Amino acid sequence: RLAFPSMLLAATGPLRVLGLQVELHAGQTEANLARAEALIRANPGHRLYVLPELSSHGYCDEVLSQLDPTRPERPAQDAESGSVTAFFCRLARDVDAHISYGFLRDAGAGRTCICQAVVDPRGQLVLAYDKMHLCDMGDCSEIAHGCSPGEGELGVFECDGVRVGVTICYDLRFPELYRALAWDAGCDLILHPAAFVRDATFPMYHQFVATRAVENGVYLLSVSYAGERFGSSVACPPWIGDVPGLAAPLAAASLGTAEGVLPLVVEPRHLEAVRRAYPYRRDVHPRLRAPPAQGDRRLQRERRVG
């Protein structure tokens, strides 16, 4: 018996997800949206498409330096009424799938957040998650450019009966967030849209992804940009190697630096086998698995915008 219930284990079949490692076009929103649409339409048959961090604008200093609230042409938009969301709402209805995309969100009062949103096949916004942890190390300078962190609400939505968590790039370094999504919120898949620059921190990229997936017994899809400074998007199962009861070992898959797509299939049988064979959730000390305090508002559940 699993200590933490999973929605997915009651699901009827696998969930097909596709990561889109697109090229970065700095500040060219229309070009970025058009390329995302082209890749999605060229790869039909998936229920969830995932784009990188700030995919609509392109993650770079050139874009982040425009966050001054006094500028007349700031790239930040409202999550519900902005043109980027309107674009993906139309596209999601057309392709009958969920789409997760990144943009700069105008949070009001001069605040701008790095946001990853999700629209569903009905063309409705169901999640707008603001990046909790801002990066100011290596080649990143989000705080220096004036980005504001999210207020601490978890990003969770449902896709075909599967509970999915959303994190953004530097969030990967904080195991508490992943445990909250997997163990408290019951997520079986966690998305990690990123702009993982090949700086001094890059050699640990895949190790962090594998650790977060395996220690929590979840699937993890990390999607970065194409190009020599980025690349290496990775899809990780809940275990790497042999699992009793499964015919073949589980393995991560990754891309190089070229533009491309990265499929991931969330398979209920594999999750069940992994959690039975490697029962971290069952064996954790009771003091470390206390439920969230009553009234804890961290969980930002699926939104209904009508």
Side-chain angles (χ1 to χ4, degrees), residues 14-301:
L15 174 68
R16 301 189 181 280
V17 186
L18 193 70
L20 307 172
Q21 182 171 283
V22 296
E23 293 183 356
L24 187 157
H25 299 285
Q28 301 178 42
T29 301
E30 290 186 6
N32 290 323
L33 298 183
R35 189 59 191 145
E37 178 177 10
L39 279 177
I40 289 172
R41 292 190 182 280
N43 294 274
H46 298 84
R47 299 300 296 149
L48 171 61
Y49 294 89
V50 185
L51 288 153
E53 177 182 17
L54 294 186
S55 60
S56 302
H57 312 294
Y59 184 101
C60 60
D61 287 343
E62 179 182 339
V63 170
L64 295 179
S65 65
Q66 300 176 25
L67 297 187
D68 183 347
T70 64
R71 291 176 62 100
E73 298 182 358
R74 294 173 63 221
Q77 299 187 7
D78 180 77
E80 296 181 8
S81 61
S83 60
V84 168
T85 292
F87 174 88
F88 282 110
C89 283
R90 291 191 297 269
L91 181 58
R93 283 195 302 269
D94 204 20
V95 300
D96 189 32
H98 285 75
I99 302 175
S100 177
Y101 58 95
F103 69 106
L104 288 166
R105 187 178 78 84
D106 185 346
R111 299 176 68 248
T112 302
C113 295
I114 295 175
C115 183
Q116 190 76 11
V118 179
V119 291
D120 69 9
R122 301 169 300 167
Q124 294 190 6
L125 176 71
V126 295
L127 178 70
Y129 165 74
D130 293 331
K131 186 177 185 178
M132 286 190 194
H133 304 96
L134 299 181
C135 185
D136 251 22
M137 69 176 188
D139 288 350
C140 299
S141 52
E142 295 164 1
I143 297 174
H145 280 305
C147 293
S148 297
E151 295 182 351
E153 292 187 335
L154 301 183
V156 178
F157 69 100
E158 292 179 17
C159 179
D160 290 0
V162 177
R163 190 168 290 170
V164 184
V166 177
T167 64
I168 302 174
C169 207
Y170 191 47
D171 283 338
L172 183 69
R173 309 294 190 179
F174 301 91
E176 301 85 354
L177 173 56
Y178 281 75
R179 181 142 300 186
L181 287 168
W183 294 30
D184 297 342
C187 295
D188 291 304
L189 165 65
I190 299 179
L191 307 181
H192 178 244
F196 222 111
V197 181
R198 289 181 181 267
D199 58 14
T201 70
F202 190 84
M204 293 299 295
Y205 174 22
H206 283 194
Q207 285 88 336
F208 268 94
V209 170
T211 299
R212 295 292 167 263
V214 170
E215 70 186 357
N216 290 299
V218 297
Y219 285 90
L220 203 160
L221 178 61
S222 179
V223 184
S224 191
Y225 286 96
E228 294 301 321
R229 296 189 67 235
F230 297 100
S232 295
S233 297
V234 56
C236 193
W239 188 261
I240 295 176
D242 292 322
V243 179
L246 298 184
L250 302 181
S254 62
L255 300 177
T257 57
E259 187 175 78
V261 297
L262 181 63
L264 179 146
V265 178
V266 179
E267 174 54 70
R269 291 187 310 104
H270 293 179
L271 271 173
E272 187 174 16
V274 166
R275 292 174 184 174
R276 182 178 294 113
Y278 308 110
Y280 302 144
R281 300 186 178 206
R282 184 196 68 196
D283 295 342
V284 66
H285 193 282
R287 291 196 60 164
L288 299 180
R289 56 160 297 194
Q294 186 174 5
D296 190 340
R297 295 181 61 254
R298 291 180 305 164
L299 181 57
Q300 181 180 346
R301 293 189 182 275

